[in-house]
Amino acid sequence: MPSQSARGLFAVLVMPLLFAASCHGGKILVFPLDGSHWINMKVVIEELHARGHSIDVIRASDSWYIKEESPFYTPITIPQDLSLENFFVLHLEKAMKAQREGASWFAHLQLMRKVMTILSQAHAVKCAMLARILDDKSLVQNLFEAKYDLVLTDPAFATGVVLAKYLKLPMVLNVRWITSGDGQSAIAPSPLSYVPVPGSGLTDNMSFTERLKNMLFYSFIVFQERFMVGPSYSAICDKYIEGGCDVVSLIQEADIWLFRSDFVFDFPRPTMPNVVYIGGFQCKPAQPLSPDLEAFVESAGEHGVIIMTLGTLVKALPDDVAEEIASVFAKMPQKVIWRHIGQRPSTLGNNTLIVDWMPQKDLLGHPQTKVFVAHGGTNGVQEAIYYGVPVLGIPLFFDQFDNLLRLQERGAGKILKLADISGHSFERGLNEVLQDSYRHNIQKLSRLHRDQPISPLEHAVFWIEYVMRHKGAAHLRTEAYRMPWYAYHSVDILVTLLAAVMVFLLSTVLMFRCLCCRGKRLSKAKQH
Ligand SMILES: *[C@@H]1O[C@H](CO)[C@@H](O)[C@H](O)[C@H]1NC(C)=O
Ligand SMILES: *[C@@H]1O[C@H](CO)[C@@H](O)[C@H](O)[C@H]1NC(C)=O
């Protein structure tokens, strides 16, 4: 059909020009997070660069993923006291060990406490880095003189948010988590009756006891914000921001929230006008594999391949677990590509290829890939949905259990807890996820996810340029963030109304009693 191809040509050639013409040459200051969050941010930065914007990125001197040299951005490098990479890896290994040792309630609480301690220490390290920036007079002057159009930041560590406030710039968030807890719950009404709190392992369909559990987890998060994370930021706010500030209110003040989720993945819930859902924006059509890898994948024949990776934070699985997994893989008719770092398991079969890096997206996009064994990080889960590959999930920490739960609820994945892993359970899990129903369900999610008017990445860039064009998006922001809690929940109104009703009732009762007494006295007087 010629008209369709002409339209295609129009879209390819003219649309980018229109976009580019509408807003070119903006200046953006990016304050990203390291690790897997940077993988996300980098995708947005590359797209912004391609559209002619200039980008400065604040990075720590010993940064782990954020490179000093890049064709896409200019780095602003700040010394940092402590390498967060070693810090995380060390503590997470401990946390993994604790998980293996038992799945009791107590062990679970211990683990949460540990993760919270790690996180609050990391917040303190990041705040020290921000103080170093703000104390450097010439750097601050340069930042002011650069006349940025906006700050783009990830508020899981809120240092970028405080800096945007200090520089008085519009702010766009690339967000899923804020300093403690889920981002959406920080701005949109989130009834605990059907919005599960992250970490609780609950869905949107909760029984009475589950709702009770949800409430307890919520109080845990409030506690964490007030006493473990908040104090680091309060100190910075008091010192550098005139009149002080509350970090959660600062996050709520952001102009646009580019939210790394969508409602194919997440449970439906209330949201706000300035929240833009960009889940899966990092996914692109798969590229061809390298010839070696392609040959390996094709050699699997009709059985296909299984791929396994546990993400960037885990250097090595416990040896006994790795042995069990390797022996199960050896029994499977599929070929296996396993990103495994650490000692080579002795039970490794000849169908298993061990690699220290894999082109994960291209493999997931390959029609031969049947199952993705993963830890359930947001990126991996979104990619599994985009490419339509069912997941056998081994959640390790943070949000991973909750991410995988969303797939399991839709029959598109299965969760295997680290504490429950044995050769037997792993084999059963693999065989279950290899069934057709799992593939069918995740491909349905994939079709739903891809059925959007414009791609999530274009959506993200549109809103960033929108904020540049209009110098913010304050008209989309609700007033909620300025309100004290009692006004937000109308407690003051309820108390006033209640008082009015009480006064009315009391005065009515008093009046009747008066009348009654008078009546009695009168009738007594008559009798005499
Ligand atoms: C919600 O959970 C209850 C009890 O587990 C179940 O009977 C019901 O079918 C569920 N509802 C939906 C819509 O899944
Ligand atoms: C792999 O091992 C299986 C059984 O252990 C054997 O039958 C098969 O021939 C081996 N394949 C190759 C290519 O070595």
Side-chain angles (χ1 to χ4, degrees):
M1 277 194 290
S3 75
Q4 203 167 1
S5 67
R7 223 183 301 149
L9 202 64
F10 175 81
V12 171
L13 293 179
V14 183
M15 293 273 282
L17 290 181
L18 287 180
F19 267 115
S22 60
C23 180
H24 53 131
K27 283 198 87 173
I28 302 172
L29 179 63
V30 181
F31 202 144
L33 224 71
D34 216 329
S36 58
H37 289 236
W38 168 248
I39 300 176
N40 275 324
M41 190 62 105
K42 194 162 151 246
V43 173
V44 180
I45 290 175
E46 288 180 10
E47 188 65 22
L48 288 170
H49 174 83
R51 294 193 191 220
H53 302 296
S54 83
I55 297 141
D56 291 352
V57 172
I58 297 182
R59 64 185 282 282
S61 52
D62 57 358
S63 176
W64 158 23
Y65 273 46
I66 309 170
K67 300 269 175 294
E68 176 105 53
E69 308 284 329
S70 166
F72 304 111
Y73 57 82
T74 313
I76 300 174
T77 301
I78 312 292
Q80 183 172 276
D81 303 328
L82 192 59
S83 161
L84 283 183
E85 180 181 13
N86 293 336
F87 190 63
F88 268 105
V89 168
L90 196 77
H91 283 76
L92 292 179
E93 267 164 20
K94 275 194 215 154
M96 234 158 80
K97 211 163 139 230
Q99 262 183 88
R100 291 271 297 152
E101 277 160 11
S104 70
W105 248 96
F106 183 69
H108 194 75
L109 271 185
Q110 283 286 84
L111 188 70
M112 264 185 85
R113 200 183 59 88
K114 209 165 245 170
V115 171
M116 271 168 49
T117 315
I118 301 173
L119 283 178
S120 52
Q121 284 171 342
H123 282 288
V125 171
K126 283 285 162 200
C127 283
M129 177 177 155
L130 177 63
R132 196 159 287 164
I133 296 174
L134 297 178
D135 283 336
D136 185 338
K137 291 280 173 292
S138 71
L139 176 58
V140 166
Q141 198 185 350
N142 287 344
L143 290 176
F144 272 115
E145 283 171 0
K147 301 231 179 311
Y148 294 108
D149 291 297
L150 60 89
V151 172
L152 175 62
T153 187
D154 185 328
F157 288 96
T159 43
V161 176
V162 178
L163 185 64
K165 175 80 179 175
Y166 187 83
L167 298 174
K168 301 189 175 65
L169 289 172
M171 174 168 55
V172 175
L173 304 179
N174 173 0
V175 47
R176 177 130 184 259
W177 308 107
I178 65 158
T179 43
S180 45
D182 169 48
Q184 298 167 100
S185 297
I187 53 164
S190 308
L192 290 174
S193 51
Y194 65 94
V195 178
V197 172
S200 63
L202 296 167
T203 68
D204 57 349
N205 179 14
M206 291 177 259
S207 65
F208 178 82
T209 42
E210 284 170 336
R211 281 183 288 127
L212 186 65
K213 184 177 171 194
N214 203 33
M215 185 76 85
L216 291 179
F217 269 83
Y218 177 72
S219 42
F220 211 55
I221 285 187
V222 172
F223 171 84
Q224 184 188 11
E225 180 61 47
R226 287 281 144 75
F227 300 105
M228 303 191 71
V229 176
S232 301
Y233 291 101
S234 302
I236 289 266
C237 275
D238 290 344
K239 185 158 174 208
Y240 298 98
I241 305 287
E242 228 181 282
C245 61
D246 165 54
V247 73
V248 176
S249 308
L250 282 190
I251 296 172
Q252 290 167 332
E253 239 182 283
D255 291 279
I256 291 289
W257 294 53
L258 302 175
F259 205 85
R260 297 193 299 266
S261 173
D262 63 17
F263 296 116
V264 171
F265 166 70
D266 210 349
F267 303 120
R269 52 157 296 137
T271 175
M272 282 290 177
N274 59 344
V275 179
V276 177
Y277 290 89
I278 59 163
F281 68 98
Q282 73 276 37
C283 302
K284 291 185 191 124
Q287 299 297 309
L289 300 173
S290 68
D292 296 356
L293 209 53
E294 179 67 32
F296 180 81
V297 168
E298 284 305 331
S299 73
E302 54 166 348
H303 293 296
V305 294
I306 296 168
I307 64 175
M308 171 160 176
T309 168
L310 295 183
T312 46
L313 281 176
V314 178
K315 289 281 183 265
L317 274 174
D319 284 339
D320 55 323
V321 180
E323 290 287 339
E324 297 267 17
I325 289 177
S327 68
V328 172
F329 279 151
K331 278 192 257 174
M332 303 299 290
Q334 284 79 17
K335 295 260 165 142
V336 180
I337 302 174
W338 183 7
R339 178 177 184 266
H340 176 67
I341 299 163
Q343 208 177 353
R344 196 181 167 84
S346 63
T347 47
L348 202 69
N350 62 7
N351 66 339
T352 307
L353 180 68
I354 288 210
V355 292
D356 52 16
W357 178 84
M358 64 160 90
Q360 183 175 309
K361 291 182 197 172
D362 303 335
L363 276 168
L364 284 173
H366 198 288
Q368 279 285 66
T369 304
K370 301 297 181 210
V371 173
F372 182 29
V373 183
H375 63 310
T378 312
N379 291 339
V381 169
Q382 298 276 11
E383 285 162 18
I385 292 176
Y386 179 85
Y387 297 110
V389 179
V391 177
L392 177 62
I394 306 175
L396 303 173
F397 0 78
F398 305 134
D399 56 333
Q400 297 167 358
F401 185 88
D402 289 290
N403 292 339
L404 291 166
L405 187 67
R406 279 149 181 74
L407 290 187
Q408 183 166 275
E409 276 299 298
R410 276 75 172 236
K414 187 174 163 59
I415 297 175
L416 199 54
K417 287 190 188 156
L418 197 55
D420 300 337
I421 286 194
S422 63
H424 186 64
S425 65
F426 189 72
E427 185 173 359
R428 211 176 33 193
L430 261 187
N431 283 320
E432 192 177 334
V433 176
L434 277 164
Q435 285 168 8
D436 283 343
S437 70
Y438 282 86
R439 191 162 191 85
H440 178 83
N441 289 335
I442 195 138
Q443 295 205 329
K444 181 172 169 208
L445 294 183
S446 178
R447 283 194 299 276
L448 288 173
H449 171 76
R450 286 171 181 238
D451 196 358
Q452 301 187 45
I454 62 170
S455 80
L457 182 57
E458 276 174 43
H459 210 177
V461 172
F462 170 82
W463 281 102
I464 293 172
E465 292 182 342
Y466 182 95
V467 169
M468 285 188 206
R469 283 195 294 270
H470 302 287
K471 315 221 172 325
H475 65 293
L476 295 178
R477 198 160 56 202
T478 66
E479 284 301 305
Y481 75 99
R482 287 189 224 257
M483 293 179 164
W485 65 270
Y486 54 85
Y488 181 90
H489 293 287
S490 301
V491 174
D492 46 354
I493 305 293
L494 288 177
V495 167
T496 311
L497 287 179
L498 213 65
V501 170
M502 294 275 277
V503 167
F504 176 74
L505 283 180
L506 222 69
S507 51
T508 316
V509 167
L510 281 179
M511 211 163 74
F512 270 105
R513 276 181 71 175
C514 255
L515 284 176
C516 263
C517 288
R518 246 225 242 137
K520 270 188 199 153
R521 252 186 275 139
L522 274 180
S523 64
K524 265 189 190 162
K526 259 186 207 163
Q527 276 171 9
H528 281 286

